[in-house]
Amino acid sequence: WDDLKQRAKATITLVRYGLTLAYRVDDSFQSLGSLQILKEELTHINRGDAPHILLFPHSAGEWRSSVLKGRRTSSFISTDVDGENTVIRLHQDGNAGLPKTLLASSLPRTVLSSTNAAESPTALLTRREMQSWRLLQLEPSSLRRPDRFSDLPMLGIDGSHLPATLDRLARSGANGEHTYQQSVDRVSMQISNRLAHLIDDVRLVWVERDERQHLLTAFVTDRSNTSYPAQSLSDGTLRFLALAVLELDPEVQGVICLEEPENGISPGRIPAILQLLQDIAVDVQSPVGPDNPLRQVIINTHSPAVVQQVPDDSLLVATLKETVWGEQRFMRAAFAGLSETWRDRAGAENLSKGNLLVYLNPVQRQLPDEEKPDFTRVMDRPDVQQLMLPFPVAES
């Protein structure tokens, strides 16, 4: 929908958006300068182009066919040089009508960010898709808070509205085949089974409806039938519960980002949290639908325990790389994957084995006798010494 509540339908569902910015020095600005748009493009990806664009392993017959619909022969946003000026054109989806032409040097924002009219529905829906991307910052105080009946039943980026979201999921399953109570029981059992991977003593997750105060409160019941409100649960349990609810919610789609998901989680439960994050993401071997929403999950971590557990195809290591541009020499962020993965076969930069081993199995510097502490560290105990990997660590 556009801002005027007019329904928009995309011409094609798979597109590529590109933006090139430059730093412009301008004495008329009080600051040192500003950013200028040099190039902005929104192009289509037709079915015949998809095998050369979607290089990760996936089901071409089921998954790709379910996400790629429609056809297009020209760009939705293009950039051209007209004499000494660079112009950006916003094209309509249909064949009728002239494109909207804008001077790039005078634009205070991107063309895509200002697209609103349903005459360019594909550009509008691309903007809506980007607006739906979320960076989850799950706050324990928000996760513990009860909801009012009138609160938005959608999990917030801070974890707010957890009880209302659980209640909505339970109610949404009630139909001609299932009663309300059957739907509540089914959703509670699905969430409970997930949470049991983190806490062995979980029997049931449920929501209490206080009809007098119009409040919704999340509860966890253990195997001794003792119930605990969300206010008394640990931070790690609450984060895991929020992600389990997110995985079950078909209305949550798009890109989901999460910083250091291992925070508050026991090291022995890290495989469980990573498996949950993989289950939140779309299964690229099955068609997209209510049971398989189109979602991508991006996490960052500093934990070797997490790096050891993630699929090798999914790993990207951020490093600083020296770059020379003209007479300028600077450090930039570079992302490298592992060899013998689809990124390697696609020609992406490879991470050296030495750099990865240093991170996963760091070599501790031996201190001189005069600098050694007067206490025994855990790592100094013979019975817990790290086993060295059977190949040498390369110099980084």
Side-chain angles (χ1 to χ4, degrees), residues 8-253:
K9 183 177 180 180
T11 302
I12 193 169
T13 57
L14 195 59
V15 295
R16 169 178 283 172
Y17 179 66
L19 181 66
T20 303
L21 301 174
Y23 181 74
R24 177 177 61 184
V25 177
D26 193 332
D27 296 334
S28 63
F29 286 93
Q30 293 183 354
S31 60
L32 296 178
S34 63
L35 291 177
Q36 178 181 348
I37 299 174
L38 295 183
K39 188 176 183 180
E40 183 178 7
E41 289 188 325
L42 180 64
T43 57
H44 57 284
I45 299 176
N46 285 322
R47 190 178 300 274
D49 303 323
H52 310 291
I53 303 296
L54 305 177
L55 300 177
F56 55 88
H58 64 276
S59 171
E62 293 188 338
W63 183 82
R64 190 195 302 168
S65 297
S66 68
V67 299
L68 206 171
K69 298 182 184 299
R71 183 171 179 80
R72 177 77 173 184
T73 58
S74 59
S75 299
F76 299 99
I77 299 177
S78 62
T79 302
D80 298 303
V81 177
D82 186 5
E84 297 182 355
N85 297 320
T86 298
V87 295
I88 299 176
R89 293 187 170 90
L90 174 63
H91 305 268
Q92 295 188 18
D93 278 35
N95 295 325
L98 295 175
K100 184 178 181 180
T101 302
L102 302 141
L103 188 62
S105 60
S106 63
L107 290 177
R109 55 192 291 193
T110 63
V111 172
L112 186 69
S113 68
S114 60
T115 302
N116 181 47
E119 287 80 8
S120 303
T122 304
L124 171 65
L125 293 175
T126 302
R127 177 191 173 197
R128 290 283 187 261
E129 168 63 25
M130 293 183 180
Q131 288 173 328
S132 73
W133 298 349
R134 61 183 73 186
L135 171 61
L136 290 183
Q137 297 175 310
L138 301 176
E139 296 292 340
S141 59
S142 300
L143 290 164
R144 291 188 171 96
R145 191 180 305 133
D147 283 329
R148 302 195 65 82
F149 285 3
S150 57
D151 284 338
L152 180 70
M154 181 66 71
L155 193 71
I157 60 173
D158 59 353
S160 56
H161 307 312
L162 176 62
T165 305
L166 261 172
D167 186 65
R168 171 177 60 81
L169 290 174
R171 289 173 172 272
S172 64
N175 50 39
E177 298 180 2
H178 300 92
T179 65
Y180 168 69
Q181 191 57 50
Q182 289 174 331
S183 176
V184 170
D185 293 342
R186 180 179 58 84
V187 170
S188 296
M189 189 56 62
Q190 288 176 306
I191 298 294
S192 302
N193 290 340
R194 271 294 187 184
L195 199 58
H197 290 293
L198 182 69
I199 305 174
D200 296 331
D201 199 29
V202 170
R203 187 179 71 84
L204 191 64
V205 177
W206 55 284
V207 176
E208 179 189 70
R209 293 180 60 88
D210 187 334
E211 300 292 345
R212 185 173 62 84
Q213 300 187 58
H214 288 198
L215 287 180
L216 300 166
T217 305
F219 276 82
V220 172
T221 300
D222 64 16
R223 298 190 184 278
S224 65
N225 281 331
T226 302
S227 296
Y228 303 91
Q231 291 91 325
S232 63
L233 300 178
S234 69
D235 295 357
T237 300
L238 286 169
R239 290 194 182 98
F240 197 94
L241 176 58
L243 293 175
V245 170
L246 201 69
E247 191 265 337
L248 197 61
D249 192 351
E251 294 188 16
V252 176
Q253 301 187 38

